[in-house]
Amino acid sequence: MGVSEERFLGRMFIDREKHTTAKRLMDGICNQLLNVKGMVVEDACIVDSPLRPVPVLEVRPRPRRGMLRCSRCGRRRHGYDRGGGVRRWRHQDFGCRRVGLVAALPRVDRPRCGVVVASVPWAGPGSRSTRDFEAECAWLMTVANRKTVGGFLHIAWRTAGDVARRVAERVKASMPSPFDGLTAIGVDGTSHRKGHTYITVVVDHERHRVIRAHDGVGGDVFGLFFKALTPEQRASIKVVTGDGARWIDPCVAERCPDAERVLDGFHIVSWMTDALDKVRKRLWNQARRDGDEKTMKRMRGAKYAVLKNPGDLTGRQEEAFENLRNTDPKGQLYRAWQPKELLRTLLKHPIGQATTELNRWVFRASHSRIPEIVELAKKIRRRRPDILRTIRLGYSNARLEASDNRIKATIRMAYGFHHVTNLIALVMLRCGGPDIRLPQPAI
């Protein structure tokens, strides 16, 4: 072998060694940036295609040898074939560059699961986004609005709904059961579409969070919540709050007989305000049919003045109420307003005083000769034990009503989701108190 041949072989060995070192360096840097363990980066390049709106940094990783696992059960299996074709996953952006992972995955064969694609360490089964990207998207959905999430991540809103569902399932599997240690719960139905389409929401009063949301409303849907509990978890529930819906009482009595049923004070007063508004509408329509301009003038502007609390009235509403009280002190509308205030205040009194005042209220309302108030007095008399229990225990659905407001905001935010499961997942992410964090460096 000549001297020139020795120099050529020596130079080739040095270049190969430098290439190997550079490959290892690139592999380490990409692993740190991608924040994924258990993979090897084979190549990385920027793809600028007319079919893509922006250039994309494509990284081609592969799982390490011996890491083939079934994507359904997670057990380690031997390869079945090369899978045929490549798959792509969306990853977090590197600065202003969009990043995608591209890999040709083999398939594995497991008797119970069949022939399925092997799992990858950077994404869950059936997902087209990496776990870090989904964690970032879910965190943004809990703290920002729809426009911010879509504009910042460049993601379709329907895709964001699927991401919320997958993240909610992972978080639920990693958290302790939310049904442990329940003592007081609240239940209510919240509409999420036009045409009386509801979801049933259950709230934990002690920990101030939503513990379950299910599509539909009624006793059967509420019964599914109790079926998900163990006998010990059902026995620990002592108080169930809610409105006066008829499907709540029999379900609680059957599934949780030791719990006390508590009516919400807000809904008790709302029964009275509904009856008061019916009185106002009846008197207004009667005066309009009779052409009684004097009565119509006296009642003008009194719609909200009689329904709101006296301390919350505006200047014009106070003027309208004073005009009504001074000009027609014996009229039906003013006489119907007085029981409303008495009912609202007696709910704040001690149980002994409230019992006496409630009996007096039922007697006066029954003899008021106002049809709407008389009908309400029958309902109050029928639900008197529940009302007194509400006063004695001091529980209310205020936490559930506050959750309802946040749920309704979430429903408006989720406009465009095609599946109610994605909506429920977003509700649980925003109102269920899960520990959602931005992606952390892999250790």
Side-chain angles (χ1 to χ4, degrees), residues 110-258:
R110 177 163 170 75
R112 292 186 179 180
C113 303
V115 179
V116 296
V117 178
S119 64
V120 292
W122 56 81
S127 174
R128 288 295 173 261
S129 305
T130 63
R131 288 191 175 90
D132 283 355
F133 179 82
E134 290 184 347
E136 181 182 15
C137 180
W139 184 83
L140 277 175
M141 293 173 76
T142 60
V143 299
N145 56 24
R146 169 181 175 176
K147 186 176 181 181
T148 302
V149 176
F152 185 77
L153 296 179
H154 309 287
I155 185 175
W157 193 238
R158 187 185 304 179
T159 306
D162 296 334
V163 169
R165 174 176 51 81
R166 288 192 293 268
V167 173
E169 291 174 355
R170 288 202 297 267
V171 171
K172 181 180 178 181
S174 62
M175 289 180 59
S177 175
F179 304 143
D180 292 337
L182 291 177
T183 57
I185 63 173
V187 58
D188 195 12
T190 303
S191 61
H192 68 92
R193 281 183 182 177
K194 294 182 180 179
H196 302 286
T197 306
Y198 295 86
I199 59 174
T200 300
V201 180
V202 182
V203 170
D204 183 1
H205 283 296
E206 301 298 331
R207 285 172 281 195
H208 306 163
R209 64 186 184 187
V210 176
I211 57 176
R212 184 179 175 87
H214 198 280
D215 185 23
V217 70
D220 295 337
V221 177
F222 191 31
L224 295 176
F225 164 72
F226 287 109
K227 289 182 179 179
L229 305 181
T230 63
E232 293 78 11
Q233 291 170 341
R234 287 198 298 268
S236 66
I237 300 176
K238 303 303 180 183
V239 176
V240 179
T241 67
D243 55 15
R246 296 181 179 180
W247 52 268
I248 299 179
D249 294 346
C251 189
V252 173
E254 178 184 359
R255 306 283 184 176
C256 201
D258 296 333

Side-chain angles (χ1 to χ4, degrees), residues 13 56 77 113 198 236 254 259 267 417:
F13 177 77
V56 177
R77 300 297 297 174
C113 303
Y198 295 86
S236 66
E254 178 184 359
H267 287 92
F417 288 176

Side-chain angles (χ1 to χ4, degrees), residues 372-388:
E372 295 82 0
I373 305 302
V374 173
E375 188 66 25
L376 177 63
K378 297 178 182 179
K379 185 176 183 178
I380 296 294
R381 184 185 292 111
R382 185 172 65 251
R383 304 302 298 265
R384 177 163 43 188
D386 297 333
I387 297 174
L388 295 178

